[in-house]
Amino acid sequence: MSDEGSDAKSGGKTFIGNAPEHCQLFDVVHKLALLLKSELDDNEQFNSFLSKLNETRQKIQQTDLAALMPPKQRSKAKFMSIANLVRWPLKILEAQRQGNLKSKVSNEQFSKYFGWIMSYVDDLEVWHQQLVVVEHVKERIRKEGFSQALVESVDQEFLYSKATKASVTNFQGEVLDFLQEESCKLIPGEVLPLVTEVMESGFGSYKNIAGRGGQGITGNAVRIASIYGQEQSVEESTKNLESKSTVSLQDWVGKTIGETLQGMRRTFFKGTKIDSSLESALN
């Protein structure tokens, strides 16, 4: 199984050449991201939407509305993480509808910084539904594994999903074509993972730790602390750390620093979770 990168693809072909009883499968997460890329990368409306996100982020990141900033866009593997970009404006509209923004955002401010979202509402519905298709397939494979039986089940789900937008039904067809093509390589009754997320997560964690020199947050904080203030013995440092509870520290932060951006986000977006189930999104 590979993400079809040139090195992995070449290595897989070499291996299969020496062991023809095996086959090479496409990692479903990467393939679905490529299908989204094919669908949206040259879409003028989608690229205009991304530009608006960047523009809004730049306008409010240094203001008291910074907690409402759109997510930062990735330069690499963009289509593996676009769900947050598409759902951010939906959450903004829902937060406004519920009245979560009243105390901090005037009508004039909302219109100035977020009014543009309304011109993308129809497109956002389509993109959200396409993302729901992707996430539904990934979640089923994560839980059940990849098999011919699963592909048949997904085929039936798509058939009865009642999606009305042509671009969504066409996208469902592309996803199903991929699943059926890969399932033909399986032995009847065989169940495989078809995702490399766990392995890649492990690699990512290793890189993060290695990049920090193995110190992590605690190690770096101790280094910084050693530069400032009165020199303390190990015993004194231990006593000071143990005498301060997490609750007291949080209380001090709240009184001294004030509400954090994360805290404000929780307030603004409370109750705005976007339903991403296949049944709700496509029926």
Side-chain angles (χ1 to χ4, degrees):
M1 180 171 55
S2 76
D3 60 3
E4 291 290 281
S6 57
D7 52 349
K9 190 173 183 179
S10 175
K13 285 184 177 180
T14 300
F15 175 79
I16 293 170
N18 296 322
E21 68 275 16
H22 296 286
C23 66
Q24 187 166 9
L25 296 170
F26 205 147
D27 168 44
V28 69
V29 175
H30 287 84
K31 178 60 178 181
L32 293 177
L34 288 176
L35 290 177
L36 281 172
K37 180 178 180 180
S38 176
E39 188 76 17
L40 299 175
D41 204 25
D42 295 325
N43 184 308
E44 289 185 10
Q45 190 74 343
F46 184 73
N47 286 315
S48 170
F49 166 71
L50 294 182
S51 296
K52 283 291 187 181
L53 289 180
N54 272 332
E55 182 182 321
T56 302
R57 184 179 176 87
Q58 291 169 6
K59 285 181 177 179
I60 67 175
Q61 64 181 345
Q62 298 296 334
T63 73
D64 55 357
L65 301 181
L68 295 172
M69 280 192 305
K72 188 175 182 180
Q73 297 180 37
R74 292 173 56 173
S75 56
K76 291 185 177 181
K78 177 172 66 177
F79 288 92
M80 292 184 70
S81 59
I82 66 167
N84 288 336
L85 301 179
V86 170
R87 288 179 185 142
W88 171 83
L90 299 177
K91 292 175 71 174
I92 288 288
L93 294 179
E94 182 62 16
Q96 174 74 349
R97 188 189 69 80
Q98 292 186 16
N100 295 0
L101 310 182
K102 279 185 178 180
S103 62
K104 298 286 186 179
V105 186
S106 67
N107 290 335
E108 291 76 17
Q109 285 178 310
F110 187 87
S111 178
K112 178 180 179 180
Y113 295 116
F114 310 113
W116 61 267
I117 294 174
M118 296 306 299
S119 62
Y120 291 89
V121 167
D122 291 340
D123 299 291
L124 287 166
E125 180 184 358
V126 171
W127 302 334
H128 172 61
Q129 290 181 3
Q130 290 172 331
L131 283 168
V132 166
V133 169
V134 166
E135 292 176 352
H136 178 75
V137 170
K138 288 195 294 187
E139 189 62 18
R140 286 206 58 183
I141 292 175
R142 288 187 188 114
K143 290 181 177 179
E144 304 170 40
F146 183 69
S147 66
Q148 293 174 348
L150 178 134
V151 175
E152 292 174 5
S153 175
V154 170
D155 186 9
Q156 291 300 305
E157 287 180 316
F158 286 176
L159 181 63
Y160 294 106
S161 67
K162 299 179 182 177
T164 57
K165 303 285 186 180
S167 53
V168 177
T169 55
N170 290 340
F171 185 71
Q172 285 179 320
E174 293 174 9
V175 170
L176 192 60
D177 286 345
F178 157 67
L179 295 176
Q180 290 173 336
E181 180 181 349
E182 295 301 289
S183 70
C184 289
K185 303 174 185 177
L186 301 182
I187 300 170
E190 188 174 24
V191 180
L192 297 175
L194 208 65
V195 289
T196 59
E197 291 172 316
V198 173
M199 182 172 60
E200 290 188 1
S201 178
F203 286 146
S205 297
Y206 170 76
K207 289 178 181 178
N208 285 335
I209 293 171
R212 295 195 301 264
Q215 294 297 321
I217 295 174
T218 303
N220 289 328
V222 170
R223 282 186 172 184
I224 294 171
S226 67
I227 300 174
Y228 299 98
Q230 182 179 353
E231 184 176 352
Q232 293 184 333
S233 66
V234 173
E235 292 76 15
E236 289 173 323
S237 296
T238 301
K239 181 180 178 181
N240 287 332
L241 288 170
E242 290 178 344
S243 66
K244 304 299 180 184
S245 68
T246 301
V247 173
S248 65
L249 179 60
Q250 290 174 335
D251 183 59
W252 178 86
V253 170
K255 291 178 179 178
T256 308
I257 300 177
E259 191 173 16
T260 64
L261 283 180
Q262 189 59 38
M264 294 175 68
R265 288 191 186 101
R266 284 195 293 268
T267 300
F268 286 145
F269 295 122
K270 184 178 181 180
T272 63
K273 185 177 181 180
I274 305 301
D275 193 338
S276 299
S277 65
L278 190 71
E279 296 81 2
S280 298
L282 301 185
N283 289 332

